[in-house]
Amino acid sequence: MASLSIPRLVKTPIETQAATALRASIVAGDIPAGQRITEIEIAGQMGLSRATVRAALHQLAREGLLTLVPYTGWTVMSLSAQDAWELYTLRSAIERLAAQLVAAAINDAGKADRLREAYEQLVSACKRGHAARIAEADFGLHQTIIALAGHRRLTEQYALLEQQIRVYIRSSDALLPNPGMVVAQHKPIVAAILAGDPDKAGALSEQHNLTEGRRLADHLLALERRAADARQETVPSQRSRGATSTRQTRRARA
Amino acid sequence: MASLSIPRLVKTPIETQAATALRASIVAGDIPAGQRITEIEIAGQMGLSRATVRAALHQLAREGLLTLVPYTGWTVMSLSAQDAWELYTLRSAIERLAAQLVAAAINDAGKADRLREAYEQLVSACKRGHAARIAEADFGLHQTIIALAGHRRLTEQYALLEQQIRVYIRSSDALLPNPGMVVAQHKPIVAAILAGDPDKAGALSEQHNLTEGRRLADHLLALERRAADARQETVPSQRSRGATSTRQTRRARA
DNA sequence: TGATTGACGATTGGCGACAATCGGCAATAA
DNA sequence: TTATTGCCGATTGTCGCCAATCGTCAATCA
């Protein structure tokens, strides 16, 4: 009796499941950037012990998605121009390395096919012109290149950057992608990788990421300026601690 | 009464202190690479609750220094040729970015002086010829370049890589540095950064890191081969679970 | 004799309760 | 009125204990 077609269950500790669910909520924007949350509140909503939730929150803090304000609460990452700069410069360095590694090993079994497949999905999404699909296919192509590098630490590091970038994009008035430009930007990178040219692949990848990253960061900076201008025209409001209201981020005294 | 010269106390939760102490023990080799440890044992030694130690261990797992084998124990990171390759390729990408960023902003107040200072300390250590001092001054120069980039995520990522590299170096029969070569390798990098040439600084930095990283990885591979040869000549020993003995790494069934 | 099952010791997983810390607000003093 | 102090509610920090899981070994079966 070789196999009964019974699927293998993947057991995941509840701590890890809680971290996964919270991560998804943050990245999806259900818990907005800058939001204050507390262990008690989340534990209540999830039906778990506070200690379990606490472990999950610490996990997300390590990933940069949350910041702990000791004895006060936790805040979802908030984003500045400096954060944007850090994210896109680091992402560009990581993706350059991946493009080089994949180009150098593109003759390995199946790699070229997988890359072509991911690129075709991007082209397909751009033809349909649906913005969310384009964005996902764009991310998908990048992820494929990263995965094909066969470099666990690189993959893990990239995932951390990606989720922060997703929070970033979602919390801003994200720019709509131009489908024609998206394809045009990625085509030479894919071609260089498929041609097995690490230097060219790395350089093109880096250029693409720096250009797009700067553009998005500039856009956010403009948004921040507009928000700051608008804030100067409103009357400062009283702040008090409501019994059940959630809090915006606040400074720890440390 | 402006100031009483009373130093500001920096309070650190005991969880964090435990993580810091354990990290230091692992990086220093007091807990060897590949070693199995348990929460009960560590909690007993540290005089803390197991839950507190557990939080610290999870922190270090996130940093890649420990691996959790569920319901069985924790193991200190062990190192393969793949790990070595991952570490040096990623380190090289990170340091290239830092060299570029510092070169582009080398005219900022104090940066050139700090870089020169770190380099002089390396030269000084090499003149004295004391291996541990050379290694520390070498790390110090790299750390200075990273810190001067003014990029928090980069600094944090580099710290994680660095500590893994330290475990790596300590667990192998580390190569002794040749003082003259160490200076010669770093001089052109520092010069390019001070000249404000990001492209040249990045390229030289990358080349240096890839060369040194490959050399160390090859060295470790040779060690692994020697160990594997030696292992084939010994009689496989019985394995049993002693009540108090610590365990070597074992495979999870997942 | 080899394969299977069940029990048990050793471990981590998760819980709720007590302890420590922080910030806001009211009371008090100058 | 402003500055200081003390109290309290709300939060995280830490603890010890029960629950769940895993691997090993002995007993049983074919």
Side-chain angles (χ1 to χ4, degrees):
Chain A
M1 196 164 294
S3 169
L4 292 179
S5 294
I6 300 175
R8 178 176 196 121
L9 292 187
V10 179
K11 289 182 304 185
T12 309
I14 202 67
E15 289 178 354
T16 308
Q17 293 178 43
T20 300
L22 283 168
R23 189 186 293 115
S25 294
I26 291 170
V27 171
D30 298 333
I31 309 178
Q35 175 83 47
R36 176 179 177 266
I37 60 176
T38 67
E39 299 174 3
I40 294 165
E41 166 187 24
I42 299 294
Q45 287 188 25
M46 287 183 137
L48 300 175
S49 156
R50 187 170 63 80
T52 308
V53 163
R54 172 176 177 70
L57 292 173
H58 272 287
Q59 168 82 320
L60 298 187
R62 195 64 214 172
E63 297 176 18
L65 291 180
L66 289 170
T67 303
L68 168 61
V69 185
Y71 295 105
T72 304
W74 300 74
T75 63
V76 179
M77 61 177 287
S78 57
L79 299 146
S80 63
Q82 170 81 2
D83 289 318
W85 173 73
E86 290 188 3
L87 286 171
Y88 81 75
T89 49
L90 197 48
R91 185 189 184 192
S92 139
I94 297 290
E95 288 209 16
R96 173 181 177 273
L97 175 58
Q100 287 178 324
L101 295 176
V102 179
I106 196 62
N107 294 321
D108 291 2
K111 283 189 178 178
D113 286 344
R114 281 179 62 189
L115 182 58
R116 284 194 195 99
E117 169 69 29
Y119 177 69
E120 291 303 332
Q121 282 180 19
L122 178 61
V123 173
S124 202
C126 290
K127 276 179 187 164
R128 292 195 207 106
H130 189 259
R133 294 245 176 91
I134 294 173
E136 279 308 314
D138 192 335
F139 266 125
L141 174 59
H142 287 246
Q143 281 167 358
T144 297
I145 295 170
I146 296 288
L148 290 175
H151 189 310
R152 178 176 62 84
R153 285 173 177 82
L154 186 69
T155 303
E156 285 170 359
Q157 174 62 16
Y158 188 76
L160 296 186
L161 289 179
E162 185 189 323
Q163 69 198 17
Q164 290 186 33
I165 288 165
R166 283 180 188 266
V167 174
Y168 182 40
I169 289 174
R170 189 170 296 274
S171 68
S172 59
D173 182 7
L175 298 174
L176 293 183
N178 174 322
M181 271 185 60
V182 169
V183 170
Q185 286 165 357
H186 290 93
K187 184 170 177 176
I189 300 168
V190 171
I193 294 175
L194 288 171
D197 186 343
D199 290 339
K200 188 167 184 182
L204 289 171
S205 171
E206 182 179 48
Q207 183 186 334
H208 162 57
N209 276 294
L210 287 177
T211 303
E212 285 299 301
R214 257 186 229 118
R215 196 173 63 97
L216 198 51
D218 288 347
H219 174 70
L220 186 77
L221 201 53
L223 282 194
E224 283 180 6
R225 286 200 180 122
R226 212 180 305 162
D229 289 345
R231 211 178 301 139
Q232 277 185 352
E233 299 176 5
T234 60
V235 179
S237 62
Q238 284 283 9
R239 294 169 57 116
S240 65
R241 179 182 292 188
T244 59
S245 67
T246 53
R247 285 285 145 187
Q248 296 297 321
T249 180
R250 79 176 70 182
R251 281 192 183 274
R253 196 198 304 187
Chain B
M1 197 166 293
S3 170
L4 293 178
S5 295
I6 299 176
R8 182 178 192 119
L9 291 188
V10 179
K11 290 180 304 183
T12 309
I14 203 69
E15 290 178 352
T16 308
Q17 291 177 44
T20 300
L22 284 168
R23 187 185 294 116
S25 293
I26 291 169
V27 170
D30 299 332
I31 310 180
Q35 175 84 45
R36 176 179 178 264
I37 60 176
T38 66
E39 299 174 3
I40 295 164
E41 169 187 20
I42 299 294
Q45 287 188 24
M46 287 184 135
L48 300 176
S49 156
R50 187 169 62 78
T52 307
V53 164
R54 174 177 173 69
L57 293 173
H58 273 287
Q59 168 82 321
L60 297 186
R62 195 64 214 172
E63 297 176 19
L65 292 180
L66 288 171
T67 303
L68 169 60
V69 185
Y71 295 104
T72 304
W74 300 73
T75 62
V76 179
M77 60 177 288
S78 56
L79 297 147
S80 63
Q82 171 81 5
D83 290 317
W85 173 71
E86 290 188 3
L87 287 171
Y88 82 75
T89 50
L90 196 47
R91 185 190 183 191
S92 140
I94 297 289
E95 289 210 14
R96 173 181 177 272
L97 175 58
Q100 288 177 323
L101 295 177
V102 179
I106 196 61
N107 294 323
D108 291 2
K111 283 189 176 176
D113 287 343
R114 281 180 64 190
L115 182 58
R116 284 195 193 97
E117 170 69 30
Y119 177 69
E120 291 304 332
Q121 282 181 19
L122 178 61
V123 172
S124 202
C126 289
K127 274 179 186 162
R128 292 198 206 103
H130 190 257
R133 295 244 177 91
I134 294 173
E136 279 310 314
D138 192 335
F139 266 126
L141 175 59
H142 287 246
Q143 282 168 358
T144 297
I145 295 170
I146 297 288
L148 290 175
H151 188 310
R152 179 175 63 83
R153 284 173 178 83
L154 186 69
T155 304
E156 285 171 359
Q157 175 62 16
Y158 188 76
L160 295 186
L161 290 178
E162 186 188 326
Q163 68 197 17
Q164 290 186 35
I165 287 164
R166 283 180 186 266
V167 175
Y168 182 41
I169 289 174
R170 190 169 295 275
S171 69
S172 59
D173 182 7
L175 299 175
L176 294 182
N178 174 323
M181 269 185 58
V182 169
V183 171
Q185 286 165 355
H186 290 93
K187 184 169 176 175
I189 301 168
V190 171
I193 294 174
L194 288 172
D197 186 341
D199 290 339
K200 189 166 183 182
L204 289 170
S205 169
E206 181 177 50
Q207 183 186 335
H208 163 57
N209 276 295
L210 288 176
T211 303
E212 285 300 299
R214 259 189 226 116
R215 197 173 63 95
L216 197 53
D218 288 347
H219 175 70
L220 187 77
L221 202 54
L223 283 193
E224 283 180 7
R225 286 198 179 124
R226 211 180 305 162
D229 289 346
R231 212 178 302 139
Q232 276 185 350
E233 300 175 5
T234 61
V235 179
S237 61
Q238 282 284 7
R239 294 170 55 120
S240 65
R241 180 182 293 186
T244 60
S245 69
T246 53
R247 285 284 144 189
Q248 295 299 320
T249 181
R250 78 176 70 184
R251 281 193 182 273
R253 197 198 303 187

